[in-house]
Amino acid sequence: DGMSLRSPRTNLSVPASLAGTIEAVSGLDESAALVQPEKAAPPPPAFVNGTPCSTYWDQVDTSTPANGTSLPDIYGSPTPYAPCGYTPQQIRGAYGVPSGLTGAGVTVAIVDAYASPTILSDANTWSTNRGIAPFKANQFSQVVAPGTMNRPENKKQDPQGWSGEETLDVEAVHGMAPDAKVVYVGAPNNYQDLDAALNHVVDGHLADIVTNSYGFGGEALPTGFVKPFNDIFIQAAAEGIGVYFSSGDNGDETGGNPANAATATPDWPASSPWVTAVGGTSIGIDASNADVLETGWESGTSTYKSSSNSWVPAPPGAYLYGSGGGTSRLFGQPSYQAGIVPTSMSQVYGGSAMRVVPDVSAIADPNTGYLIGQTQTFPDGSAKYSEYRIGGTSLASPIFAGLMADLQEHLGHDIGFANPWLYATYSATPTAFHDIQHVANAGVVRSNFVNSVDATAGYAYIFRSFDFTTGLTIHTVAGYDDVTGLGSPNGVNFFK
C-alpha cells in the first residue's frame, strides 16, 4: 500500500567483544504499522452491576427473592448477594489505615499498555462520587508514546480492555492514597514494550513505588524475556524503588485439573525475587467498615437453573479463577523467605529451596470487588460515564501499593524494595498481617444482567464459591501460604 517498512536483511550478529553483554534484541521489524484501522476504538463495551447487590457484606441475601425469583439455599442457608463494589473508605477501614495517612509526599507509578483518553475526567468524577478529593493540578500525569492514546481496537492487543485496567489501577491507588502523586506510563503495545515502560520509570526514577497489573501465564518464556526484565527490578531495588506485581488470576495455572499438577507454576514477573508479588483475597466488609471475613481468592462457579430449581454444577461448582501462586522453577529461595516459607512449599520439586509466590495479598475477588467509574460504550452507541464492580489481582496490586504509600508517608522515608522488611516484620510481629485462612462453605450470589447493561434481556444468577480447593496445588492455610502469602495489612499493627 505504498508504505516503506524495515525488516532484517540478515541474521543478527554482534562483536565477539560484547559476548555476554547483549541480553536480548527485540523489535526488529515494523509489521505493527500494518495494523492501523482508520479510526481509534470507542470506549470499551459497557458493563453494569446487576441487582440486587449489597452496599456492605451480607446486607441482602437470598432469603429476599431476586427480581421475583426465589433462589434455593446453598449449604443449607441463604447466601449473601455480591457487594455492588466496595469503596475506598470501606477498604481503608477494613485494613485499618490511620485516618491521617493519605500518601502525601509519595509518588506511585502505574505501568500498563495503551492509555485511556478519558482517564482524568473519569477518575475525578469517580472521586467526587466517593467523597474524596479529585486530582489536584500536577498530581496526575500520563506518559505515553505518540499514538498510544487512541489505538484502534483489535483482539490481539485489546486497547479497550487495557483502558479499563488503567482506570482500575488509577482509582485504586488514588482511593487508598488520595494525596499521593500518580504517574501513569503506558506502553504502545502489550508485549515487551511493557519492559521498556517500566525501564523508563526506573531509569528516570519517576516514582517511589511502581504497581504493575500484568504478567505471563507461567515462567516458560522464550530466551530474552526474563533476564532483561529481572535486571530492571534489581536496578529498581538498588535505587530504592519498590516494584509490585499482581500474582495472576489463574491460580496455579492448572485449571483446577489434577492431571495438570506436574505443570503447576506461578506467573512471571511476579515470581522474580526482586518484586513484591501481591496475591488476592475474597473479603466481607460490614456496615462499620470492619473486615469480618477474608479468605483466599480461588473461585468456583455454579449457575441457577430454573427448570430444576437447582445450582449446576452443585456448589462449590467448577473452578473458574483465583489468586496466582506457587513455587518458582527459575529462582532459588531469597534469603528473606528462609525460615518463614514452609519447606513443603519451597522444596515441592525436591532439591534446593525455591522462591514461592505471593508475598502479600489484598482484596481481589471480582465478586467482592471494587467500585470504579469509567466512560463506556452502551448498546445504543452512546459513550458515557458509569460505575461497576471489578477485581482480580489487578486490583490487589494497586490497592497494596496505595497502602504502602500511606505507610511510607507515616515512616517519613523511602521503603524501597519492601520484601526484606515485610518478612522481617512478619517474623517479629506476625499480627502485623491478617493471617488469611480457609473458609469453607462460603460465597456470594451474583445477579447479572444477561445483556450486561439492563434488565431487558433478563437476569442470570451465579454462585461464586470462596477459596475453592479441588484440583489445585496451592491452598490457603494458617501462616504463610501460596495463595495469600504473609496475609493482608492488619491495621495499627501493620502501620506502627
Side-chain angles (χ1 to χ4, degrees), residues 25 68 119 203 211-212 281 324 365 378 385 406 408 414 418 447 450 466:
V25 181
I119 183 60
D203 189 53
T211 175
N212 306 266
T281 68
D365 187 345
F378 284 78
Y385 175 89
D406 295 332
Q408 183 162 311
D414 288 352
S447 174
V450 170
F466 289 169

Side-chain angles (χ1 to χ4, degrees), residues 86-459:
Y86 290 123
T87 66
Q89 293 88 342
Q90 288 175 298
I91 297 173
R92 283 173 58 95
Y95 291 142
V97 183
S99 59
L101 296 182
T102 60
V106 182
T107 301
V108 180
I110 295 165
V111 175
D112 284 319
Y114 307 106
S116 168
T118 60
I119 183 60
L120 187 57
S121 63
D122 288 346
N124 284 342
T125 300
W126 172 86
S127 298
T128 300
N129 291 350
R130 302 285 81 76
I132 62 178
F135 282 111
K136 306 175 184 68
N138 302 318
Q139 189 184 356
F140 175 81
S141 59
Q142 189 161 245
V143 181
V144 296
T148 301
M149 187 78 74
N150 292 291
R151 285 298 173 96
E153 174 63 5
N154 64 77
K155 292 181 180 179
K156 185 72 172 177
Q157 298 277 307
D158 191 21
Q160 286 181 318
W162 281 93
S163 69
E165 185 67 63
E166 176 185 0
T167 304
L168 167 63
D169 292 355
V170 169
E171 292 175 2
V173 171
H174 189 56
M176 295 303 100
D179 286 329
K181 288 187 175 181
V182 175
V183 179
Y184 175 80
V185 182
N189 58 57
N190 62 4
Y191 292 124
Q192 283 185 285
D193 277 333
L194 286 162
D195 304 25
L198 180 62
N199 188 66
H200 178 68
V201 175
V202 173
D203 189 53
H205 206 130
L206 301 186
D208 310 299
I209 291 169
V210 191
T211 175
N212 306 266
S213 294
Y214 56 89
F216 293 90
E219 295 179 312
L221 299 170
T223 300
F225 272 67
V226 173
K227 187 177 187 300
F229 215 2
N230 203 48
D231 285 349
I232 297 172
F233 304 148
I234 294 170
Q235 181 179 339
E239 292 185 17
I241 299 172
V243 178
Y244 298 77
F245 265 91
S246 302
S247 71
D249 295 347
N250 294 303
D252 58 6
E253 297 292 347
T254 67
N257 186 346
N260 298 331
T263 64
T265 174
D267 291 352
W268 168 261
S271 63
S272 169
W274 293 98
V275 308
T276 300
V278 187
T281 68
S282 303
I283 188 169
I285 303 175
D286 71 10
S288 63
N289 296 347
D291 178 351
V292 294
L293 180 155
E294 194 168 17
T295 190
W297 171 46
E298 301 293 349
S299 294
T301 184
S302 304
T303 301
Y304 172 66
K305 300 294 184 182
S306 58
S307 58
S308 59
N309 192 38
S310 64
W311 298 96
V312 179
Y319 182 71
L320 182 62
Y321 47 36
S323 175
T327 305
S328 174
R329 298 172 186 271
L330 298 180
F331 299 102
Q333 183 179 73
S335 59
Y336 53 77
Q337 287 195 324
I340 295 176
V341 175
T343 57
S344 60
M345 299 175 195
S346 64
Q347 294 181 282
V348 68
Y349 309 128
S352 301
M354 303 296 284
R355 159 82 159 137
V356 184
V357 174
D359 298 302
V360 291
S361 56
I363 175 176
D365 187 345
N367 309 291
T368 65
Y370 193 57
L371 188 66
I372 72 165
Q374 180 184 9
T375 299
Q376 302 183 93
T377 301
F378 284 78
D380 63 2
S382 65
K384 57 188 177 184
Y385 175 89
S386 62
E387 298 184 347
Y388 61 97
R389 178 189 61 241
I390 195 170
T393 54
S394 293
L395 169 62
S397 181
I399 288 288
F400 199 88
L403 296 175
M404 292 299 281
D406 295 332
L407 179 64
Q408 183 162 311
E409 176 197 4
H410 174 61
L411 295 175
H413 60 77
D414 288 352
I415 295 172
F417 176 46
N419 287 10
W421 175 83
L422 291 167
Y423 283 83
T425 297
Y426 177 87
S427 182
T429 312
T431 56
F433 299 85
H434 287 134
D435 184 7
I436 311 300
Q437 299 189 26
H438 176 66
V439 175
N441 300 337
V444 295
V445 169
R446 292 175 60 119
S447 174
N448 287 352
F449 294 127
V450 170
N451 66 7
S452 298
V453 294
D454 59 35
T456 56
Y459 296 84

Side-chain angles (χ1 to χ4, degrees), residues 46-69:
F47 175 82
V48 177
N49 291 336
T51 54
C53 60
S54 297
T55 57
Y56 56 85
W57 177 250
D58 204 11
Q59 179 193 26
V60 186
D61 64 29
T62 53
S63 62
T64 299
N67 309 299
T69 300

